[in-house]
RNA sequence: GCGAGAGUGGCGAAACUGGUAGACGCGCUAGACUUAGGAUCUAGUGUCCGUAGGACGUGGGGGUUCGAGUCCCUUCUCUCGCACCA
């Protein structure tokens, strides 16, 4: 047995796996199926970095472990291949995105193979291939037909650097999620998916899935369901009605003014001539503010009176109408009834502009006028007409009923969630399959004409005009309805549309008459284990759930949640800074893989720390992992050269105990993605083996048990170092792949020892250790503890008040 | 500002329902084998004082308990998420 040559064994086993099709999943058998999916990757021109390995390596280790536990594991990989970087590259260098993407994919596929994962390469998918995006377009039409896709002109988020609009989810603190540029507002006619129709379903489903609580709460937060009332305020001396949404209808009697968002449609109509200049100036100012400035809680509240009044329906009072930028046009009705006595924002505004503050809720029914701050807690309704004296909490529904009865309003649920804007003014995406005809309007492309292929000949300007516009041959097409002159939609779809359904495609990536095979995916989905970055919490993960729910509603699939269990890998930083190409601090794994091999590198990553935590990159310990894996290898070398031939039974028991303990702990830890502690269990077993082999002569060493432990060791390490595992499995005379061998079992009885060392404490402080029989009675333990010579001096001449015995753990003597 | 999570040796980190803090590893020290070793093996390694043996130790302060890294209160620091949502 020669020194470990990882290069040759990696190549050797990758070739064998490939030839034997070891990782081709038999999808016709869904018994004990396990669909393990890691978020697919964007094929950029860069090499895979440490973050990719951190994402894919451990997940593959987990999948291999599950396979050995007897699961029929399906672990596919694909490419989220549409997107801006390829197009920006085309603008800069002139290489067509289709060419650069194909090149990147073929490079990345090679790198992925070096990782040695169990990917089923026959099931690879590429979202930019016509065979795939045909079905992305089909989904668009499906949503369109079901009134879940619509076109409207609306103020939308515009990223000047990406030269396209963005969905709300892609705007982070007023900046582009992708490039950090400040996002501005533009009025454009765009396509939306009606995800808001699914707000309640998206909320409800969260209770049924095993996801990190944090992610679920982010989604709940994003959906932002809020229950309250809609109240109609008639304009004084006019026909117009201002509708407001409020969660506190119980404070209706405390309204002293009304605030509209500056962009509210009634503003211009209600502005009186003498206020016009001020109002217009204010609106202009608001426009200039970025979303961040406008929604900053730090900012002092501003606003102007527009000259009109409206009437509070419950008491007939005239209240002035203001506009203020703290009221958002996009939430609720874009109008707020201001109750400064019981809302901190209204209070601040009223104080600023000396508007009246009225008290209508009181903790105990006693008035505290003048209020020093808004009282926002529940209490007793006061100065509230017929409701005076009512407790405010139940008062909410009573007032709602009252409003309904009078026709002044009613109950209402509002959401923060907005419809998903999917149009992008870019080239490298799936074309939206719509045609505009002067006679027939917007006409969907008939399904049998899909895919609407991306034309190759376009001009990439990056100007913000859709590049597809520049190919008039492509744009001009007959209207499918009337045959007259039609024009194709020139925007493409957000790439999040492509990734909203890719997990459905993997089992049947080449199906050409449907996006997926219903029978097959009803058996194989939902995904049992999904792994990916937490940054997708309210984007991809919300959109994918939406798609699944739509398909479920329309009867296409049986399940309504795509990912049963979700895990987020942590982030690997470099000196505390998140790695990114733009910062130029990306650590390339290539040199490590060259020096140590993919197995050792993967295992070192997993040993660094908790998977979900991530951590700061340092290669300080990689040398130690190299040492360990070589030590592991040498153990086999030693056993081969100096074959154990005895049947000694005493010392071997210690090794057996470690073995069973290692198997037990590792099985438990691996299940929960606790790779670092799993690895330390293997190390413990290796250490125990070394001790044994070095202390017991080979002619006495228990041959049979050692051979068993040897096999166990290979099985335990294989998910971490798959190439090494296979090599050792073969060298120790096994036929077939170690990944077809079953995961070792442990025997609880083997973990026990006859005697056990107990800690002896006096007044809670450790003073000695005693040896007693396993499961000894309290009286025996107590006597043994008192007999201990070290303990004697702590107890002598003192009164023993209490003796606490924790079975097989410790004894604590409480003395005075 | 609100919410969640975290803070443990020189370093990466362990510790199940409160029960011997620091598993496993890096680094370091000593020894062995060596022409040599940045290889390997063995032993040691929380801090302080020491001869046995002690004292102190999980961000700080307080509490509950026979016993607290773990539970409670308070405070500091960091990370993440949300942030005028009516």
């Amino acid at each position: 047995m020669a020194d470990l040559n990882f290069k040759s064994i990696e190549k050797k086993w990758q070739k064998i796996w490939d030839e034997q099709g070891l990782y081709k999943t038999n999808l016709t058998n869904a018994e004990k199926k396990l669909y393990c999916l890691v978020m697919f990757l964007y094929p950029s021109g860069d090499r895979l970095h440490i973050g990719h390995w951190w994402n894919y390596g451990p997940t593959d280790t987990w999948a291999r472990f599950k396979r050995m536990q007897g699961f029929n594991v399906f672990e596919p990989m694909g490419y989220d291949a549409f997107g801006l970087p390829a197009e920006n590259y085309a603008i800069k260098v002139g290489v067509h995105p289709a060419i650069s993407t194909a090149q990147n994919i073929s490079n990345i596929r090679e790198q992925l193979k070096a990782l040695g994962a169990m990917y089923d390469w026959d099931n690879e998918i590429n979202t930019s291939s016509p065979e795939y995006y045909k079905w992305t377009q089909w989904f668009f039409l499906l949503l369109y037909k079901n009134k879940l896709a619509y076109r409207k002109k609306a103020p939308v988020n515009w990223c000047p650097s990406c030269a396209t609009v963005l969905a709300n989810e892609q705007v982070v603190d007023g900046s582009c999620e992708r490039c950090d540029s400040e996002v501005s507002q533009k009025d454009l006619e765009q396509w939306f998916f009606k995800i808001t129709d699914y707000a309640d379903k998206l909320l409800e489903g969260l209770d049924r899935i095993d996801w990190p609580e944090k992610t679920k709460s982010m989604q709940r937060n994003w959906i932002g369901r809020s229950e309250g009332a809609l109240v109609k305020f008639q304009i004084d001396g006019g026909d117009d009605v201002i509708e407001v949404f409020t969660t506190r209808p119980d404070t209706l009697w405390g309204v002293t003014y009304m605030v509209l968002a500056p962009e509210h449609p009634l503003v211009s109509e209600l502005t009186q001539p003498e206020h016009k200049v001020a109002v217009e100036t204010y609106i202009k100012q608001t426009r200039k503010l970025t979303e961040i400035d406008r929604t900053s809680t730090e900012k002092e509240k501003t606003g102007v009176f527009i000259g009109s009044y409206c009437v509070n329906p419950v008491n007939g009072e005239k209240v002035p109408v203001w506009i203020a930028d703290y009221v958002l046009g996009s939430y609720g009705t874009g109008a707020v009834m201001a109750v400064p006595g019981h809302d901190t924002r209204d209070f601040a505004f009223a104080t600023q502009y000396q508007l009246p503050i009225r008290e209508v809720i009181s903790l105990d029914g006693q008035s505290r006028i003048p209020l020093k701050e808004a009282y926002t807690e529940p209490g007793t309704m006061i100065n509230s007409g017929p409701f005076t004296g009512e407790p405010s909490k139940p008062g909410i529904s009573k007032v709602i009923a009252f409003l309904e009865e009078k026709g002044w309003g009613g109950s209402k649920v509002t959401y923060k969630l907005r419809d998903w804007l999917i149009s992008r003014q870019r080239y490298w995406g799936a074309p939206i399959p719509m045609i505009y005809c002067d006679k027939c309007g917007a006409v969907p492309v008939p399904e049998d004409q899909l895919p609407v292929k991306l034309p190759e000949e376009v001009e990439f300007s990056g100007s913000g005009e859709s590049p597809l516009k520049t190919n008039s041959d492509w744009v001009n097409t007959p209207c499918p309805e009337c045959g007259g002159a039609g024009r194709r939609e020139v925007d493409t779809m957000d790439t999040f549309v492509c990734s909203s359904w890719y997990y459905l495609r993997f089992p049947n990536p080449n199906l050409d008459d449907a996006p997926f095979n219903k029978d097959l995916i009803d058996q194989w989905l939902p995904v049992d284990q999904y792994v990916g970055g937490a940054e997708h919490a309210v984007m991809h993960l919300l959109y994918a759930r939406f798609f699944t729910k739509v398909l479920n509603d329309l009867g296409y699939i049986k399940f309504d949640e795509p990912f049963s269990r979700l895990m987020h890998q942590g982030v690997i930083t470099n000196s505390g800074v998140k790695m990114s190409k733009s910062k130029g601090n990306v650590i390339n794994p290539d040199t490590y893989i060259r020096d140590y091999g993919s197995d050792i590198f993967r295992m070192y990553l997993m040993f660094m720390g908790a998977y979900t935590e991530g951590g700061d990159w340092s290669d300080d310990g990689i040398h130690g992992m190299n040492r360990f894996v070589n030590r592991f290898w040498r153990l086999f070398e030693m056993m081969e050269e100096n074959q154990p031939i005895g049947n000694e039974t005493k010392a071997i028991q210690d090794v057996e105990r470690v073995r069973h303990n290692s198997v037990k702990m590792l099985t438990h830890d691996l299940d929960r993605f606790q790779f670092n502690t799993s690895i330390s269990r293997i190390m413990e077993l290796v250490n125990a083996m070394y001790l044994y082999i070095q202390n017991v002569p080979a002619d006495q060493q228990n041959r049979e048990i050692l051979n068993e432990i040897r096999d166990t060791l290979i099985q335990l390490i294989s998910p971490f170092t798959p190439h090494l595992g296979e090599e050792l499995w073969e060298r120790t005379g096994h036929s077939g792949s170690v990944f077809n061998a079953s995961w070792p079992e442990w025997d609880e009885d083997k973990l026990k020892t006859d005697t056990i060392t107990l800690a002896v404490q006096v007044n809670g402080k450790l003073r000695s250790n005693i040896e007693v029989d396993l499961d000894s009675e309290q009286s025996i333990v107590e006597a043994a503890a008192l007999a201990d010579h070290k303990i004697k001096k702590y107890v002598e001449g003192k009164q023993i008040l209490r003796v606490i015995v924790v079975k097989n753990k410790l004894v604590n003597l409480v003395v005075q």
Side-chain angles (χ1 to χ4, degrees):
Chain A
M1 207 159 156
D3 281 354
L4 170 58
N5 182 338
F6 58 82
K7 270 187 193 139
S8 67
I9 68 167
E10 278 171 20
K11 259 204 201 112
K12 169 181 165 186
W13 288 102
Q14 282 165 18
K15 188 157 166 260
I16 292 173
W17 292 336
D18 212 32
E19 284 166 2
Q20 298 186 343
L22 187 66
Y23 304 132
K24 297 206 186 320
T25 311
N26 176 7
L27 293 163
T28 58
N29 174 16
E31 209 181 311
K32 268 202 112 173
K33 68 96 181 176
L34 195 148
Y35 187 173
C36 174
L37 185 66
V38 65
M39 289 180 187
F40 63 171
L41 66 78
Y42 178 76
S44 73
D46 309 306
R47 314 274 304 163
L48 294 186
H49 60 245
I50 293 207
H52 292 114
W53 279 71
W54 179 258
N55 191 185
Y56 303 150
T59 304
D60 177 65
T61 292
W62 185 84
R64 286 177 181 276
F65 159 67
K66 284 288 158 189
R67 176 188 171 120
M68 291 175 78
Q69 278 194 323
F71 288 93
N72 187 16
V73 178
F74 180 45
E75 191 188 17
M77 179 48 82
Y79 312 96
D80 191 11
F82 273 139
L84 268 125
E87 188 168 342
N88 291 339
Y89 187 70
I91 294 165
K92 213 167 122 193
V93 184
V95 178
H96 196 276
I99 294 168
S100 61
T101 300
Q103 184 59 52
N104 292 341
I105 286 178
S106 92
N107 289 340
I108 279 172
R109 188 186 293 116
E110 286 318 301
Q111 289 182 276
L112 282 170
K113 287 195 171 175
L115 173 68
M118 290 203 297
Y119 302 131
D120 187 340
W121 294 106
D122 285 351
N123 291 56
E124 199 182 49
I125 56 180
N126 169 353
T127 59
S128 70
S129 70
E131 295 76 27
Y132 184 92
Y133 71 70
K134 170 180 177 179
W135 300 109
T136 305
Q137 292 170 339
W138 178 88
F139 274 104
F140 178 93
L141 295 178
L142 182 74
L143 293 174
Y144 180 78
K145 275 184 276 184
N146 288 282
K147 309 226 173 335
L148 291 167
Y150 65 94
R151 197 164 176 251
K152 84 169 174 196
K153 187 165 187 166
V156 294
N157 307 302
W158 175 264
C159 172
S161 158
C162 295
T164 184
V165 299
L166 303 171
N168 285 318
E169 288 79 7
Q170 286 166 293
V171 181
V172 179
D173 289 338
S175 300
C176 174
E177 168 257 335
R178 165 156 233 122
C179 69
D180 263 358
S181 311
E182 200 166 278
V183 168
S184 58
Q185 302 291 305
K186 246 191 181 183
D187 274 340
L188 285 172
E189 184 138 0
Q190 302 280 294
W191 284 97
F192 291 84
F193 284 166
K194 219 167 175 195
I195 192 170
T196 50
D197 271 12
Y198 281 76
D200 280 326
K201 284 188 169 167
L202 287 166
L203 271 178
E204 178 277 323
L206 291 172
D207 298 331
R208 292 183 278 118
I209 48 182
D210 182 10
W211 283 23
E213 269 314 311
K214 184 157 191 173
T215 307
K216 293 207 263 187
S217 87
M218 277 171 76
Q219 290 211 350
R220 286 194 191 101
N221 218 311
W222 189 261
I223 294 165
R225 184 191 155 96
S226 163
E227 286 178 18
L230 192 76
V231 189
K232 295 174 186 166
F233 285 68
Q234 182 94 33
I235 292 302
D236 183 46
D239 297 332
D240 287 316
V241 168
I242 297 174
E243 292 192 329
V244 298
F245 171 71
T246 178
T247 54
R248 295 292 303 275
D250 54 321
T251 63
L252 205 39
W253 282 263
V255 175
T256 56
Y257 61 101
M258 175 70 66
V259 195
L260 303 183
E263 55 270 57
H264 193 284
L266 286 176
V267 170
S268 63
E269 201 184 319
L270 297 181
T271 301
Q272 298 305 309
E274 65 271 29
H275 296 276
K276 213 168 170 184
V277 177
V279 168
E280 280 173 2
T281 314
Y282 185 76
I283 293 175
K284 242 184 231 166
Q285 270 173 15
T286 308
R287 282 253 162 95
K288 267 195 241 155
L289 289 178
T290 62
E291 190 84 359
I292 333 167
D293 294 337
R294 192 168 156 183
T295 57
S296 160
T297 41
E298 312 292 308
K299 183 176 152 281
E300 225 171 55
K301 294 195 170 21
T302 57
V304 289
F305 176 50
I306 66 172
S308 288
Y309 291 83
C310 63
V311 179
N312 186 344
V314 297
N315 57 13
E317 270 181 32
K318 262 172 68 175
V319 294
V321 180
W322 287 62
I323 58 170
D325 63 8
Y326 80 91
V327 174
L328 308 172
S330 50
Y331 181 76
T333 60
V336 169
M337 59 175 225
V339 186
H342 306 286
D343 180 285
T344 44
R345 296 152 303 180
D346 297 342
F347 187 91
F349 191 82
T351 311
Q352 175 98 357
Y353 293 101
Q354 283 148 31
L355 291 157
I357 297 169
R358 186 173 301 170
E359 188 187 26
V360 292
I361 308 284
S362 153
L363 176 63
D364 49 10
Q366 300 298 309
S367 175
R368 285 174 179 75
I369 285 287
L371 292 170
K372 283 191 218 63
E373 54 177 7
Y375 177 74
T376 57
E377 299 297 309
T380 303
M381 294 171 71
I382 57 173
N383 307 322
S384 296
F387 291 90
T388 298
E390 288 271 351
S392 70
K393 258 194 162 168
I396 291 176
S397 47
K398 286 186 184 165
V399 172
I400 291 174
F402 176 68
L403 291 169
E404 255 160 23
E405 188 194 310
K406 300 277 185 182
W408 296 334
S411 72
K412 164 95 179 165
V413 177
T414 306
Y415 301 89
K416 264 174 71 181
L417 182 72
R418 313 286 155 76
D419 279 338
W420 174 14
L421 165 54
I422 58 119
S423 301
R424 295 293 179 270
Q425 289 69 49
R426 300 299 302 232
Y427 168 76
W428 195 232
I432 295 172
M434 294 296 293
I435 292 166
Y436 302 104
C437 167
D438 289 337
K439 223 161 61 195
C440 313
V443 181
V445 173
E447 260 179 50
D448 59 14
Q449 289 176 29
L450 296 183
V452 175
K453 279 203 183 173
L454 266 178
E456 277 186 31
E457 297 295 318
V458 294
E459 277 169 42
F460 301 108
S461 63
S463 67
E465 290 280 291
S466 300
L468 290 178
K469 236 184 217 171
T470 62
N471 184 323
S472 55
D473 285 351
W474 182 84
V475 172
N476 295 309
T477 188
C479 165
E481 296 256 302
C482 68
R487 281 162 289 106
R488 288 192 189 280
E489 166 66 60
V490 292
D491 286 350
T492 54
M493 284 186 253
D494 181 2
T495 53
F496 279 116
V497 179
C498 309
S499 56
S500 289
W501 71 280
Y502 79 108
Y503 48 92
L504 304 172
R505 184 69 175 171
F506 274 126
N508 269 115
N510 303 314
L511 204 62
D512 59 10
D513 59 352
F516 50 80
N517 176 324
K518 180 181 187 321
D519 290 344
L520 193 63
I521 70 162
D522 273 340
Q523 284 182 56
W524 275 86
L525 277 99
V527 170
D528 298 281
Q529 177 66 62
Y530 196 34
V531 182
E535 67 275 17
H536 291 106
V538 291
M539 293 190 281
H540 164 62
L541 288 167
L542 191 65
Y543 299 146
R545 294 183 60 226
F546 164 59
F547 262 52
T548 301
K549 287 184 184 295
V550 171
L551 288 174
N552 176 263
D553 263 6
L554 299 177
Y556 282 89
I557 54 176
K558 278 208 301 217
F559 52 96
D560 74 337
E561 281 293 340
F563 316 119
S564 306
R565 189 177 176 217
L566 172 71
M567 189 76 76
H568 295 304
Q569 80 276 13
V571 178
I572 301 295
T573 54
N574 183 359
S575 307
V577 181
K578 191 173 172 171
M579 292 187 203
S580 82
K581 198 176 62 168
S582 56
K583 292 194 190 100
N585 65 345
V586 177
I587 307 277
N588 187 321
D590 291 356
T591 54
Y592 298 108
I593 293 157
R594 194 183 58 228
D595 294 346
Y596 297 101
S598 119
D599 280 350
I600 288 170
F601 182 66
R602 179 204 285 221
M603 202 171 181
Y604 173 62
L605 279 174
M606 284 188 277
F607 191 58
M608 270 176 48
Y611 187 56
T612 52
E613 303 284 309
D616 202 39
W617 169 254
S618 154
D619 59 7
D620 278 353
I622 194 165
H623 171 70
M625 186 53 71
N626 181 53
R627 179 189 297 170
F628 168 71
V629 173
N630 278 287
R631 184 170 149 91
F632 191 94
W633 174 266
R634 250 187 334 270
L635 184 66
F636 288 78
E637 198 174 41
M638 281 159 64
M639 286 175 71
E640 200 178 88
E641 278 168 11
N642 220 346
Q643 296 234 351
I645 50 169
N647 56 5
E648 176 284 331
T649 57
K650 196 154 176 293
I652 195 72
Q653 277 180 26
D654 291 336
V655 193
E656 272 286 78
R657 199 173 321 107
V658 178
R659 168 206 188 183
H660 286 273
N661 186 56
S662 285
V663 172
K664 178 184 178 178
M665 301 306 279
L666 204 140
T667 305
H668 182 246
D669 286 354
L670 259 186
D671 214 37
R672 301 189 302 166
F673 279 66
Q674 290 173 351
F675 303 108
N676 51 341
T677 48
S678 297
I679 292 167
S680 63
R681 299 303 174 184
I682 304 178
M683 291 172 167
E684 280 172 354
L685 183 51
V686 169
N687 291 345
M689 282 288 272
Y690 262 84
L691 267 182
Y692 183 79
I693 285 182
Q694 246 131 33
N695 291 334
V696 179
D699 61 353
Q700 290 172 33
Q701 290 168 11
N702 190 314
R703 177 193 174 87
E704 203 179 322
I705 296 180
L706 277 187
N707 281 343
E708 271 175 41
I709 299 178
R710 183 195 65 185
D711 287 356
T712 300
L713 269 172
I714 302 172
Q715 288 165 319
L716 295 183
I717 206 170
S718 289
F720 300 89
T721 57
H723 309 93
L724 175 75
E726 292 278 42
E727 181 69 17
L728 287 172
W729 195 243
E730 182 187 65
R731 280 175 189 245
T732 48
H734 298 87
S735 57
S737 169
V738 67
F739 299 104
N740 289 335
S742 58
W743 188 250
E745 312 247 325
W746 75 92
D747 182 347
E748 279 297 327
D749 287 339
K750 292 271 170 61
L751 297 174
K752 292 179 181 162
T753 46
D754 298 342
T755 63
I756 200 156
T757 306
L758 285 194
V760 184
Q761 296 179 340
V762 178
N763 290 340
K765 294 201 170 185
L766 180 70
R767 296 301 181 190
S768 185
N769 286 297
I770 54 171
E771 191 99 341
V772 292
D773 288 345
L774 188 72
D775 298 334
S776 292
E777 292 300 319
Q778 166 140 4
S779 55
I780 295 168
V781 170
E782 197 177 321
L786 288 168
D788 186 83
H789 72 280
K790 284 191 203 155
I791 294 305
K792 272 186 183 158
K793 70 176 181 197
Y794 289 100
V795 178
E796 249 167 48
K798 290 183 180 155
Q799 195 188 354
I800 296 174
L801 300 175
R802 243 175 113 181
V803 178
I804 291 132
V805 175
V806 181
K807 205 175 187 185
N808 296 332
K809 283 248 161 98
L810 61 72
V811 48
N812 187 13
L813 307 169
V814 185
V815 303
Q816 199 183 36

